[in-house]
Amino acid sequence: MRALLLVNPKATTTSERSRDVLVRALRSAVELSVEYTTRRGHAATLARAAAESGVDVVVTLGGDGTVNEAVNGLMTAEAVLSGLTGPRAHVLPALAVVPGGSTNVFARALGLPRDWVEGVSVILDGLRDGRHRVIGLGRADDRYFTFAAGMGLDAAVVRRVEQARLRGRTSTPALYFRSVVGQMLTREDRKSPPLTIERPGEPPEADLGTVIIQNTAPWTYLGDRPINPSPGASFDRGLDVMALRGLAVGSTSRTMAQLALRRAEPHGKQVVHLHDQDEFTVIASRPQAFQLDGDYLGERQKVHFVSVPEALRVIC
């Protein structure tokens, strides 16, 4: 069995010594090649080339951004997918994820341990036993995502956190909390919410201040605490959506409190829930922040979301 290990050398929870241990462990089970990413988008290029060269498994060591890039590389491997008529999962290399980032939402949603050593043990057992799971993905225009996407307030908070980390701040629950509060207090969209969700054959959901899309649950974690706007979301179903009508400080704060207190599902007049959606479009009256899998991708005014079932095999 041939495998490629994609290493993000900036992974926050591993060292050079631990990476050497990982390489030795994987080489006990597979014929392994190792590549280090050097820039944004590099993991996608490497994963695509690996799929087209006939690799059986792509292993990532990094955070959710590295996973997202690898998945997009696999899902766009033209030499593999040309003439494909059935689910992609049956012809693409499997994906194995070693948690190396600060949050690792995707790995944890799969039930993998937070500790990378324990995660490697699970992966080795899966490789030796031929054990895998087939999952669905989400797609936003031409970009795939594994666990979540967002427009509006959600993505603007991601942007604030990324900017703080570039200034040397550490990703902590306190940083996210301060970013949410700061974004709520400075946002002009409270008076004229810019977002609308359009679905085939359904009336539009308008006057929305933020839209959170989930391909699984939870949406994210604050430390050890799962945050679950749409607790019914699943890799095995379509996309789930939670949106807020407007961003009044009082009602938005109540919704944030419901999330923090782990209530089953946020509720209230301002909350919109959509479950198991095959496709929909989010349209903004003015450019809005946009994120996929926790990576800020700039501003958009229109994004088409699609559920892609049985898209990928994952070792877990």
Side-chain angles (χ1 to χ4, degrees), residues 110-182:
L110 288 170
L112 293 171
R114 288 190 68 180
D115 179 76
W116 73 268
V117 176
E118 295 179 12
V120 171
S121 178
V122 172
I123 290 169
L124 289 174
D125 288 344
L127 290 171
R128 289 164 178 154
D129 298 342
R131 185 180 67 245
H132 66 264
R133 175 183 178 184
V134 177
I135 66 168
L137 297 172
R139 192 178 73 231
D141 290 338
D142 59 352
R143 178 95 178 236
Y144 293 87
F145 60 97
T146 62
F147 62 90
M151 288 184 71
L153 173 65
D154 160 46
V157 170
V158 170
R159 177 176 57 196
R160 276 189 173 236
V161 171
E162 284 194 4
Q163 291 170 344
R165 294 183 67 183
L166 289 174
R167 295 193 299 268
R169 300 291 299 277
T170 302
S171 180
T172 63
L175 175 60
Y176 275 90
F177 178 78
R178 286 193 296 269
S179 299
V180 170
V181 173

Side-chain angles (χ1 to χ4, degrees), residues 19 30 52-53 75 85-86 88 107 118 123 155 248 271 277 290:
R19 291 194 291 268
V30 295
E52 294 179 347
S53 70
M75 295 296 290
T85 58
R88 303 180 186 207
E118 295 179 12
I123 290 169
V271 181
Q277 300 294 301
F290 171 58

Side-chain angles (χ1 to χ4, degrees), residues 40 68 72 139-145 149-153 155-156 159 187 189 193-196 208-211 213 280-293 295-306:
R40 193 163 189 169
N68 179 276
N72 275 274
R139 192 178 73 231
D141 290 338
D142 59 352
R143 178 95 178 236
Y144 293 87
F145 60 97
M151 288 184 71
L153 173 65
R159 177 176 57 196
R187 233 173 135 74
D189 294 337
L195 298 171
T196 298
L208 306 174
T210 191
V211 177
I213 300 103
F280 55 90
T281 302
V282 180
I283 299 172
S285 59
R286 51 191 176 274
Q288 293 294 294
F290 171 58
Q291 67 91 6
L292 289 183
D293 285 347
D295 272 356
Y296 176 65
L297 298 180
E299 294 186 335
R300 302 284 182 90
Q301 283 194 258
K302 182 178 182 180
V303 181
H304 183 61
F305 293 92
V306 178

